[in-house]
Each structure stands twice: as structure tokens, then as C-alpha cells.
Amino acid sequence: MRAYPTLAPFKTSLAFLLLVSTINARSEATNVLHSAEEMKKLTLEELANVKVYSVSRRPEAASQAAAAVEVITQEQIERSGAASVPDALRLATGVQVSRFGGHSFALSSRGFSSLAANKLQVMQDGRSLYSPLFSGVFWDAYDTLLDDVDRIEVIRGPGAAMWGANAVNGVINIISKDARDTQGTLVKAGGGTEERGFGAIRYGGKIAEETFFRVYGQYWNRDAMAYPSGQAGHDVSQEGLGGFRMDSKLDNDDHVTVQGDLFHNEFDLVSRRDALNTDGNLLSRWSRQLAGGSELQLQMYYDRFQRNVPGQFGETRNTYDGDMQYRFQLGDRHSFVAGVGYRLSEDQTKRGGTLEFSPRERTIHIVSAFAQDEIALVPKQLSLVLGSKFEYDSLDGFEPQPTVRLAWTPTDRQTIWGAVSRAIRMPSRIDEDLRFIPVPATGTVFVRGNPDFEPEVVLAYEMGYRIQPVTNVSVDLAGYYNRYDGLRSLEPTPPVGIPLEQQNLLDAETYGAEVSLKFQATFWWRLSGNYTYLHKNLLPRSNSRDPNQGALEGNDAPHLFSIWSSMDLPARVNLDCIVRYVDALPNPRVPSYITVDVRAAWRPVPNLELAVVGQNLAAKQHREFGAPTATTAEVERGVYGKLTWRF
């Protein structure tokens, strides 16, 4: 691994922020320490009533939402020992997270998991993280300071009526803390066998009576994964991240947020120069509370992303996005939310590797509007939701994405819900403009895009039941059936069958069930577990000649299971143990595996925590994704220690 002079500014920034925060920390900031009392577990009642925003673009109790929704809280992220957002998403029911290489993840919900998974909408604070290049997320080009994450809302199933194209199998919404809630100084540092070294510092202060801010910097260095032989792989990575957020309450009705981040990482490639990712974004949001509980919100952001993978491709992308929504009540029975949005995404791609795009540059325009009415058929007991997103994409055209949802709450501790939804995955540049050239020197195109590629469509049927039969037990059940039309297939072209052209000659159906259980055994011990069953049928059309028969459209585990024991022991000691089982992946076959993660943390004083985390302890190493080759990277057992100091 070569030296990385480009990351020096991030290390300098960490030291500078530490100096500034130590000098400027004021007495009022020290009053916002995360004491042992503040870090306690939420009760099951409190968890059931945690407000979620992502289902209907308004706050509502998670237990009463007409969707399969789950909230990963800040405390759960911390106590799990997760080192990244994908690691934290392993906690969610029904989400398959597979690591491939030291920097890449295959991550999806309800099937179609691949390194280019394209049926999951992912956002952070209203900013979409998905790339129009392939309608998915470059997880190796994203990170955030996990201590600043308030919660992660995970919707399983379509969320397109609110969030538009690509919210086909689910929505992940990463929501950051208000700057008011991050006052004072946070210092975090640690290292170990796989997470070789990391450090972060955050300082939060007060500009005016109702105006708060924070600034932060973070550095991370991760070891390579291992080849099946046990030899170290070639995927060491390191990254630097920094940013700020300001929240201001202008008066009793107006709230303004301004935030931005800078990100840079680089990771090893075999026999090639290091790959590089950089990203910078700036977001502003204004909301006003109006009479009668109405609310108006305006949001705008700019994002500039650059990616260079030597021998493969390069991309520079600028995204401009604006969104407005209005929420209001009409009488006692109708709760409306509606809005409009516009996004412009322009890119420039570089030739010279295995992936080329023709044309090299393209600008995509997306114009959208949505409306939803929640009708109280029986106040506080039975509600009907009717809504749809209407979207125009310059790559495809106009598409409606409606939903109908019904929720019945016969008692305060029970909710029965059902939904029927239509969602689409819009064509991406990979679908229309790709030229895959396995041996660049020959110039022979093996796979090409199709300018006439059409949207992939799903019609989804869902049902769910939540109950808290006694105070210390809660159960959440969900079942679904999805029908997909026009999925991507690779069709031979005459006269010799090469290149393969991407067409819409694959259909599919999936069905499954998801169960989540929480049990508060005593005030100091909680057990939680979840189980997921998935069945997928790929259905090539009669005129399809795809040699893979759709196998490239995801490699999914039929069964997922996990159990989590969380204990608060005497002397301010926390002990957490998570056991996960992932069933075998069918094609290419990946054997089933079990992982065990353990975290022990001690707070000698309320504002100082020392933690030791063991990850993947069940085996020395295991494969999670990819074909069984001599150079397929495998996840190794790892241990790291961490110090967290708040003052």
C-alpha cells in the first residue's frame, strides 16, 4: 500500500478541530453530555412510538404505519459495534448485506442483491445517494460520522409513491441529528486488526440564542480482506471525511438547516493504480409551521461526485436538486401531503477501460409531483391512504407510481395493515449507453446498452401485523408477493450472438415473510431477533435467449436469521452479542455462514467510554459474495478497541 499524501489535509483538520474545540468549549456545552442516563435503552413502548418520517413524509408512530418499517436508533448503532452504515444495516430485518472486497457491498431488501443492486432508494437528510449511472449506491464512495446519525429508517417494500423511481424494494433514510443535539466536543479514536486505525472529532457550539452548529472531521484506515489461501488481498482502503451543519430556529414557526460534507477515499486494486472517490455536497432546507398544523418545506442541494477506477472507468457527476412539499389538514378526516421536485444530473465519463459509455457525456432531467391523502375512516382506528408519484425522466418519459394502503388499529397495542403499490426502476446509463469491453486492447464489445430500454415495473402486495401482547414483548410480522415485469436480460445479437444487448425480456415473482421479536427479559437485559424468508422465481419470456437466464439479477439468501442479546451490567458496563445466520446463496454458490459479533463497553465516568469489539468471531474467514475463485476476497475475524470522550 502506497503512502497517501492526498489524505494529509484530513489528518491536519482533525488536529486543528481538536485544538479549536478545546479552546472554545463553553460551559453550556458541557451540559449536553451523553450521561449514562441519556444512553439508556428505550423501552418497548417508547420504541413502538418512535416517530418515522419516511412512510408518509410526515411524523407518525412506527407501530401504526401502514408499511413494513423499522427504525435503527443511534443507541443500536453504537452498541452493535458497526463501523459503517452498511454494517449498521445488518441490524434491519429483511435486509441482506454482503461484503465483497474491502470496500464494496451487495446490499438489498426483498431480493435482487448484487454489487450493482438497483431497486433500493437510499437517502441522507433528503439527499439521494443513488447514482443515475446504474440506479444504485456506490457504497465504497459513501460514509458519515455514525455518532451524528439520529436514526436510520428502513422501509421494506415499495416507497415510490413518496420517493419516486428506484424505491422498488425499499427505502433507506439516514437521518442526522439536529445541531442542537450535538453540542460540546466529541473525540473518538481506535484501531485493531481489520479496522486498523480511525479517529474523529466533532465540536458543536451556539452562534445565537436559537442557532446551533457543529463541525467534524473523520479518518479511517481498513485492512485488506483475505484470499481463500489466507494471503492478504489487495483492497486496503482509507478515507477522510469532514463537514458541518447549522440549525436555526428563526422564530416559533421557521426552521432553517444548512449542511455540507467533503469525502475522499482511495483503495488498492490488483496490479493497478489505486481507485479514487471524492464527493462534496451542500444542502439547505427551510420549513415553516402554518396555522392548523400545516407545514411548508423547501429543500435544495448540490452534489459533485468524482470516481476513477483505473482500467475500468471514470466519472464526474454534478447533481442539482430542488424539492417543495406542503402538508395540511382538511377537516377532521383528511390529512394531505403534496409536493413537486426537479433534479438535473450531468455527467462526464472517461474512456480507456473495460467500461465505456456512449455518449461520453449526458444530462438527465427529472421532474416530479406527488400527492397523498390519508383518510380517517374511523378516527384513531381505521385509515385509508391513497397516493401517487408522477415522474418524468428524460431517459424514459412519464411514469405514475401509485399506492393504496389501509391500517386498522383496534387497540393501542395492535396494528393490522395492507398495501398494493406500483413502482418502477427507471433506465440508467448502464442500461442504455454501456459498452463492456473485457479486453480493451481488442476493442471488442461484449455487452452493449439499449437506447430503447424500458422501465422495470413491480406490482407489490403486502400485509402486516404488529402487536405488543404484554408490556415486555413486541412482535412485528410482514408478508408480501411481488410481480416484476420487464427486468433486464442479456440477449444475443446476430449473426454470432456478440455483443449481448440489454433488453426487458425477464419477468420474476418473489414472495416471503419477515418476523421481528423483542423481549425485555429484565430491566437490564433485552433479547431481540428477526427472521426473513425469501423465494424468488425468475421467468424469462419465450423470446428470451439470455444465456444466464437472469442469474445476474441478484444472488439472494432464502433464509436470514439473527438474535441480539443486550445487557446493562453493574459498574456502567454494557455487553452486547449478535449472532447472524445467512443461508447459502444459489448462483454463484456461496456456502451458508454464521457470524458472531461481541461488544463490551465500560464508562469509568459518564462522559468517557472504552469499548472492545470483536467481529465475525465464529470463523477465521468466510466468503459472503462472489464466485469461489483463488482471488475472491473473504471477510476475516477482527477485533478493535475504541475510546469515546465527550466534554
Side-chain angles (χ1 to χ4, degrees):
M1 182 84 175
R2 298 188 297 275
Y4 293 94
T6 54
L7 283 173
F10 287 97
K11 300 176 183 178
T12 304
S13 298
L14 289 177
F16 175 74
L17 286 171
L18 177 60
L19 177 62
V20 170
S21 62
T22 303
I23 295 174
N24 293 310
R26 291 186 260 177
S27 59
E28 68 232 40
T30 61
N31 295 327
V32 197
L33 296 174
H34 287 254
S35 66
E37 177 63 22
E38 291 170 327
M39 291 294 286
K40 70 179 181 66
K41 290 190 186 77
L42 294 175
T43 66
L44 295 189
E45 292 276 5
E46 290 170 330
L47 281 173
N49 291 303
V50 165
K51 300 297 183 182
V52 295
Y53 174 80
S54 305
V55 177
S56 300
R57 290 204 183 210
R58 66 172 181 82
E60 60 183 320
S63 63
Q64 298 178 4
V69 61
E70 185 171 2
V71 178
I72 303 173
T73 66
Q74 165 59 220
E75 188 216 15
Q76 290 172 321
I77 296 171
E78 177 68 24
R79 295 189 63 146
S80 71
S84 65
V85 168
D87 277 345
L89 289 171
R90 297 182 192 269
L91 304 176
T93 307
V95 177
Q96 180 180 325
V97 180
S98 304
R99 191 174 177 187
F100 182 79
H103 44 80
S104 298
F105 290 87
L107 195 157
S108 190
S109 168
R110 294 186 173 176
F112 301 95
S113 182
S114 72
L115 295 177
N118 54 22
K119 295 175 178 59
L120 196 64
Q121 178 64 271
V122 184
M123 300 172 291
Q124 178 163 11
D125 299 324
R127 176 173 62 92
S128 177
L129 302 182
Y130 93 93
S131 168
L133 194 76
F134 74 106
S135 299
V137 177
F138 287 118
W139 287 106
D140 59 5
Y142 166 77
D143 203 357
T144 190
L145 181 60
L146 289 177
D147 302 84
D148 286 349
V149 174
D150 180 69
R151 64 192 187 277
I152 303 175
E153 298 180 2
V154 180
I155 299 174
R156 307 183 305 276
M162 290 287 96
W163 303 108
N166 309 314
V168 174
N169 283 5
V171 175
I172 294 172
N173 196 359
I174 305 158
I175 299 174
S176 302
K177 296 176 182 177
D178 190 293
R180 176 192 296 267
D181 300 323
T182 54
Q183 297 294 282
T185 302
L186 166 77
V187 178
K188 180 173 68 174
T193 58
E194 299 303 304
E195 308 296 338
R196 299 200 300 189
F198 57 88
I201 182 167
R202 179 195 70 213
Y203 172 68
K206 188 174 180 181
I207 299 174
E209 186 62 28
E210 293 294 337
T211 301
F212 301 86
F213 75 93
R214 67 169 174 259
V215 292
Y216 76 94
Q218 176 174 275
Y219 170 76
W220 211 287
N221 186 295
R222 291 186 170 90
D223 194 18
M225 294 170 65
Y227 293 145
S229 65
Q231 180 184 359
H234 292 275
D235 49 20
V236 173
S237 62
Q238 63 174 354
E239 67 184 42
L241 176 68
F244 76 98
R245 173 163 172 159
M246 183 187 72
D247 287 279
S248 180
K249 192 173 182 181
L250 303 180
D251 51 41
N252 290 332
D253 300 322
D254 295 274
H255 184 264
V256 173
T257 298
V258 180
Q259 63 186 72
D261 306 278
L262 290 172
F263 172 86
H264 176 96
N265 80 348
E266 40 198 73
F267 50 85
D268 276 357
L269 297 172
V270 179
S271 303
R272 287 179 283 168
R273 291 181 292 110
D274 294 340
L276 305 174
N277 292 299
T278 61
D279 181 79
N281 63 80
L282 181 65
L283 178 147
S284 63
R285 181 170 52 251
W286 167 69
S287 61
R288 164 168 281 193
Q289 300 296 321
L290 304 172
S294 300
E295 182 187 59
L296 177 66
Q297 178 178 289
L298 300 174
Q299 177 180 283
M300 299 182 67
Y301 71 81
Y302 167 70
D303 187 290
R304 180 176 175 83
F305 172 70
Q306 292 180 292
R307 181 178 181 86
N308 183 36
V309 184
Q312 192 179 92
F313 80 105
E315 177 197 16
T316 298
R317 180 173 298 278
N318 294 291
T319 302
Y320 308 83
D321 186 280
D323 179 273
M324 178 181 71
Q325 74 172 51
Y326 178 50
R327 178 165 52 87
F328 63 97
Q329 192 79 21
L330 184 61
D332 296 330
R333 293 181 180 270
H334 295 269
S335 180
F336 283 95
V337 61
V340 295
Y342 172 70
R343 180 178 302 159
L344 183 151
S345 184
E346 57 182 12
D347 68 44
Q348 297 178 338
T349 62
K350 295 196 315 184
R351 292 180 176 173
T354 57
L355 302 181
E356 294 184 359
F357 295 87
S358 179
R360 290 179 58 187
E361 303 177 8
R362 195 157 186 180
T363 299
I364 301 170
H365 303 269
I366 302 175
V367 182
S368 64
F370 73 91
Q372 178 173 285
D373 181 15
E374 182 173 342
I375 308 165
L377 301 177
V378 179
K380 297 184 179 181
Q381 282 196 334
L382 184 63
S383 63
L384 173 67
V385 177
L386 304 173
S388 183
K389 185 97 168 185
F390 305 92
E391 208 161 30
Y392 170 82
D393 187 313
S394 59
L395 287 182
D396 171 66
F398 174 78
E399 290 288 346
Q401 299 174 82
T403 189
V404 178
R405 298 180 180 272
L406 188 69
W408 178 36
T409 307
T411 69
D412 291 341
R413 294 188 174 185
Q414 291 186 81
T415 298
I416 303 168
W417 63 271
V420 180
S421 308
R422 179 184 188 267
I424 61 116
R425 182 185 76 81
M426 282 289 190
S428 64
R429 290 212 64 191
I430 273 188
D431 300 312
E432 296 194 355
D433 303 332
L434 175 68
R435 301 290 184 270
F436 174 50
I437 308 171
V439 184
T442 67
T444 301
V445 177
F446 186 73
V447 177
R448 73 182 182 199
N450 177 6
D452 297 321
F453 194 88
E454 298 178 352
E456 300 178 347
V457 181
V458 66
L459 188 60
Y461 305 85
E462 304 174 86
M463 289 191 66
Y465 178 53
R466 301 185 189 94
I467 185 171
Q468 190 174 358
V470 291
T471 303
N472 62 338
V473 176
S474 67
V475 182
D476 191 339
L477 309 172
Y480 63 91
Y481 171 79
N482 292 349
R483 175 74 191 199
Y484 300 85
D485 293 317
L487 298 182
R488 181 169 52 200
S489 62
L490 296 177
E491 303 298 334
T493 57
V496 296
I498 299 297
L500 300 173
E501 183 177 74
Q502 299 185 115
Q503 297 185 22
N504 299 90
L505 299 182
L506 177 67
D507 300 329
E509 63 177 5
T510 62
Y511 55 85
E514 300 148 348
V515 183
S516 177
L517 172 68
K518 293 182 175 62
F519 172 47
Q520 190 74 49
T522 69
F523 72 92
W524 54 269
W525 185 23
R526 176 179 296 168
L527 291 167
S528 58
N530 59 64
Y531 167 74
T532 301
Y533 169 71
L534 166 69
H535 181 84
K536 181 175 70 175
N537 287 327
L538 298 176
L539 307 169
R541 296 179 182 176
S542 59
N543 57 338
S544 173
R545 299 294 180 266
D546 186 344
N548 299 295
Q549 294 292 286
L552 298 180
E553 284 300 290
N555 201 13
D556 306 302
H559 303 275
L560 301 172
F561 172 79
S562 72
I563 187 167
W564 183 353
S565 169
S566 185
M567 297 181 178
D568 295 329
L569 302 177
R572 292 176 175 158
V573 173
N574 301 139
L575 181 62
D576 292 85
C577 179
I578 303 174
V579 179
R580 291 186 299 113
Y581 168 79
V582 179
D583 201 8
L585 308 187
N587 189 10
R589 182 170 176 78
V590 176
S592 62
Y593 60 89
I594 294 175
T595 67
V596 178
D597 296 346
V598 177
R599 178 181 182 269
W602 173 50
R603 291 188 301 277
V605 293
N607 60 337
L608 176 65
E609 181 179 78
L610 305 174
V612 177
V613 179
Q615 295 179 310
N616 304 298
L617 299 180
K620 183 179 180 181
Q621 61 188 72
H622 67 275
R623 179 163 50 98
E624 293 190 351
F625 212 76
T629 70
T631 57
T632 298
E634 298 186 345
V635 178
E636 294 181 275
R637 178 187 294 139
V639 178
Y640 72 86
K642 183 173 75 169
L643 176 150
T644 305
W645 182 28
R646 296 176 171 91
F647 58 92

